[in-house]
Amino acid sequence: MTKIGLEIHCQLTKLESKLFCSCKANYRDHEINSNVCPVCMGLPGTLPRLNQKAVEKATIIAMALNCSTPEKIAFFRKNYFYPDLPKNFQITQLNIYGDTSVGGPGMIMVGDKKIRITRIQLEEDPGRLIYEGSSSKNQITLVDYNRAGTPLVEIVTEPDFENPKQVREFLNILSDLLENLNVSDPSLEGAMRADANVSIEGGNKVEIKNIGSFHDLEKAVHFEITRQESLHSRDIPIAQETRHWDDKRKITISSRSKEEELDYRYFLEGDIPWITIGNEIQEKLKSEMPESISSKKVRYVTNYSIPDQVADVLSSDKFYSDLFDKSHTEHNAKEIANIITTDLMGLVDTREKREESKLQPAHLNELADAIQSGKLTRTSAKNALYEIVKSGKELNQVISELDLGNVSDTDELLKIIKQIISDEPQAVEQAKSNPQTINFLVGKVMQKTKGKADPKLTLDLLKKELG
Ligand SMILES: [Zn+2]
């Protein structure tokens, strides 16, 4: 039996400042080594000041993952020497005096499978090492400390996953959940990193470190299972070891360094007192939590009779559910859900496209009304949406500029219909004996009018003409 456990590092990218100083949490937009101060550089005589919002956001994550949240939390020093760590220790959390990390045991359902969460801890991210040079002879390593001290949440699971597919499903759920909580943007480079441990047939546990994205995590786990199965089938023992994920070659490689827990000489961080997160604060945080994905889904299905699958897609993506919630009325909710899930998703399928999109909730509202009132066909509405996303123009302006208005003039339509009837004698005969095939002729009218014919009027006129 295969057992997989995960350790996920998630940056709290929505915060203003770093975990223990007032440098920016968004380290990405700064010139290299400019987002630093004496505190995050660990200069002698400086003291850390804990970012309250970071504790709150980490606690909210713990609550959303059904973890226990202790009344008192503590911080520890993890001592190790490495160029990315200016202080030579990392301030993190550890459960040696009982559960003193922000989150205790919890669980989350992935389909029918229960995945247990071991703990959730808040810690600081180290700096970033940049490797340059093409061969081993001229290789140099550069270090950028802009990231050092930014808030990071570590989510540790029990080895409850049995295959890479479950891992992927869990990561999808987790990444939607973090985005919905407004704590992190999983699409930012480096915002989500992970370690995994994998064992098969009750054998030794192998740890894979250094997996830079959720996408690679599934690949790394898959590779490691295949590697272990191959060794097992040839009766070669599987060594208990740490391996690194090589994201260029897409394989795991044995790493020589053995880092045991004891080597870190953990001790209580004396510069930060124990923090009390009492009942009152916990209740307040709970009440301020954004509506959960599952509750959104139930609301969409019950209030607006939106089909299950559409509600699933809509609720699990914060960008779309926010758009939907800000744009719909009781009468056009279903139409808006339809526009978002069939047309909009293809237009703004990347982070960049979403940022560039000029679409406002009011646009969607008008567009849905225009479809429902028969002012626009769905095909024309799709063309209008494309233009609005690009330009942000008013719907009426787009309709007149692109000449999208419906052909709903009876005489004009009748002329086109008569033409089609004389062009398609075979289809006309068929439609007379089998009324269901009339859609073929409707389609022809649509083709002729470039999708602008009022569909209901077209059908009525066609039926009349065919007797
Ligand atoms: Zn700083």
Side-chain angles (χ1 to χ4, degrees):
M1 176 156 148
T2 303
K3 282 185 171 180
I4 307 156
L6 303 177
E7 280 181 28
I8 294 167
H9 290 100
C10 150
Q11 289 178 339
L12 299 177
T13 63
K14 304 280 179 170
L15 288 175
E16 279 295 313
S17 50
K18 288 187 179 179
L19 191 49
F20 302 114
C21 64
S22 54
C23 293
K24 296 284 178 223
N26 179 8
Y27 60 88
R28 292 173 174 84
D29 298 342
H30 300 266
E31 202 170 309
I32 282 180
N33 287 318
S34 67
N35 184 38
V36 293
C37 74
V39 177
C40 54
M41 288 299 94
L43 297 189
T46 56
L47 287 171
R49 265 174 62 189
L50 181 61
N51 182 338
Q52 184 184 337
K53 283 268 181 287
V55 177
E56 291 177 1
K57 297 262 184 201
T59 304
I60 284 173
I61 295 175
M63 287 171 169
L65 290 170
N66 307 300
C67 293
S68 60
T69 43
E71 205 193 338
K72 275 185 183 344
I73 61 164
F75 286 88
F76 287 78
R77 280 190 192 184
K78 180 180 183 180
N79 297 281
Y80 66 101
F81 180 76
Y82 206 66
D84 63 3
L85 204 66
K87 292 195 288 224
N88 289 338
F89 60 84
Q90 179 195 30
I91 303 180
T92 179
Q93 297 193 294
L94 188 69
N95 289 346
I96 49 168
Y97 301 132
D99 284 350
T100 59
S101 300
V102 282
M107 69 93 192
I108 184 167
M109 295 304 291
V110 174
D112 297 332
K113 176 89 185 157
K114 182 170 148 185
I115 302 296
R116 290 168 298 160
I117 309 287
T118 317
R119 66 173 183 278
I120 295 180
Q121 59 195 47
L122 180 60
E123 61 190 29
E124 55 181 338
D125 213 352
R128 211 163 55 91
L129 297 179
I130 304 155
Y131 302 96
E132 292 206 342
S134 48
S135 71
S136 56
K137 269 188 188 157
N138 64 7
Q139 184 130 58
I140 50 168
T141 306
L142 303 169
V143 61
D144 175 12
Y145 289 121
N146 283 353
R147 191 177 75 181
T150 51
L152 199 64
V153 163
E154 183 178 82
I155 300 166
V156 183
T157 80
E158 294 290 317
D160 288 343
F161 301 95
E162 289 160 14
N163 54 56
K165 186 169 165 271
Q166 283 173 357
V167 170
R168 186 183 60 222
E169 283 170 4
F170 170 79
L171 296 175
N172 286 343
I173 291 174
L174 182 66
S175 127
D176 290 343
L177 180 142
L178 294 171
E179 200 167 14
N180 187 58
L181 287 174
N182 204 23
V183 294
S184 186
D185 182 347
S187 68
L188 283 173
E189 186 271 322
M192 300 282 161
R193 281 127 46 201
D195 301 339
N197 56 69
V198 178
S199 67
I200 63 162
E201 312 292 343
N204 277 326
K205 195 166 83 174
V206 174
E207 274 207 80
I208 320 166
K209 298 242 181 217
N210 200 29
I211 311 168
S213 72
F214 278 6
H215 185 66
D216 274 3
L217 178 54
E218 189 193 352
K219 280 193 190 150
V221 167
H222 184 79
F223 176 88
E224 187 52 30
I225 292 171
T226 313
R227 188 189 69 89
Q228 291 187 20
E229 278 172 353
S230 159
L231 290 175
H232 188 73
S233 69
R234 288 175 286 155
D235 286 331
I236 303 172
I238 295 157
Q240 179 166 355
E241 62 175 346
T242 300
R243 297 176 73 86
H244 273 76
W245 173 243
D246 182 330
D247 65 352
K248 290 205 178 71
R249 291 191 285 166
K250 307 290 174 203
I251 55 170
T252 64
I253 311 159
S254 182
S255 61
R256 265 161 270 153
S257 70
K258 276 235 162 78
E259 291 159 348
E260 296 291 331
E261 289 268 304
L262 285 172
D263 292 340
Y264 290 126
R265 291 168 44 248
Y266 279 102
F267 58 83
L268 204 57
E269 171 56 75
D271 288 340
I272 301 172
W274 287 64
I275 310 290
T276 305
I277 311 174
N279 245 338
E280 212 173 299
I281 298 173
Q282 296 207 15
E283 285 308 318
K284 186 170 175 287
L285 288 176
K286 222 175 252 173
S287 70
E288 288 167 1
M289 266 166 84
E291 184 185 13
S292 73
I293 291 172
S294 54
S295 139
K296 275 184 201 175
K297 187 187 163 184
V298 170
R299 180 160 61 83
Y300 296 164
V301 173
T302 344
N303 293 7
Y304 313 114
S305 316
I306 290 173
D308 225 51
Q309 256 183 321
V310 176
D312 238 346
V313 177
L314 203 57
S315 58
S316 59
D317 190 308
K318 186 172 160 54
F319 179 79
Y320 297 124
S321 62
D322 279 356
L323 254 182
F324 175 78
D325 283 336
K326 284 178 194 155
S327 61
H328 76 267
T329 64
E330 206 178 312
H331 307 290
N332 65 15
K334 219 170 164 179
E335 191 64 58
I336 290 182
N338 188 33
I339 297 173
I340 293 177
T341 51
T342 55
D343 299 329
L344 185 64
M345 281 187 175
L347 294 178
V348 291
D349 55 354
T350 63
R351 180 193 161 75
E352 289 74 27
K353 287 184 193 165
R354 285 178 179 197
E355 278 171 2
E356 282 165 14
S357 164
K358 303 275 194 313
L359 177 81
Q360 297 301 317
H363 284 128
L364 276 178
N365 186 21
E366 284 175 43
L367 208 54
D369 282 349
I371 295 172
Q372 284 183 330
S373 68
K375 192 172 162 188
L376 281 182
T377 61
R378 287 217 160 76
T379 315
S380 300
K382 190 177 174 176
N383 294 334
L385 181 71
Y386 179 78
E387 180 57 31
I388 291 169
V389 166
K390 225 170 51 180
S391 68
K393 286 177 184 164
E394 293 284 318
L395 179 61
N396 281 333
Q397 193 185 347
V398 173
I399 291 174
S400 71
E401 278 180 15
L402 299 185
D403 187 24
L404 293 174
N406 269 2
V407 179
S408 49
D409 179 74
T410 311
D411 291 340
E412 198 183 332
L413 256 185
L414 212 51
K415 225 168 31 185
I416 297 165
I417 285 168
K418 281 186 175 151
Q419 182 66 45
I420 301 276
I421 286 175
S422 80
D423 286 353
E424 305 281 347
Q426 230 179 339
V428 168
E429 279 317 303
Q430 223 169 13
K432 277 181 181 164
S433 57
N434 180 5
Q436 288 199 330
T437 62
I438 201 166
N439 281 336
F440 174 79
L441 293 169
V442 175
K444 283 282 164 193
V445 177
M446 285 297 175
Q447 226 172 20
K448 196 111 188 162
T449 58
K450 297 199 178 83
K452 295 191 299 179
D454 182 328
K456 197 178 168 304
L457 185 61
T458 307
L459 191 63
D460 289 348
L461 289 174
L462 252 174
K463 276 183 181 162
K464 223 185 264 172
E465 282 302 301
L466 295 179

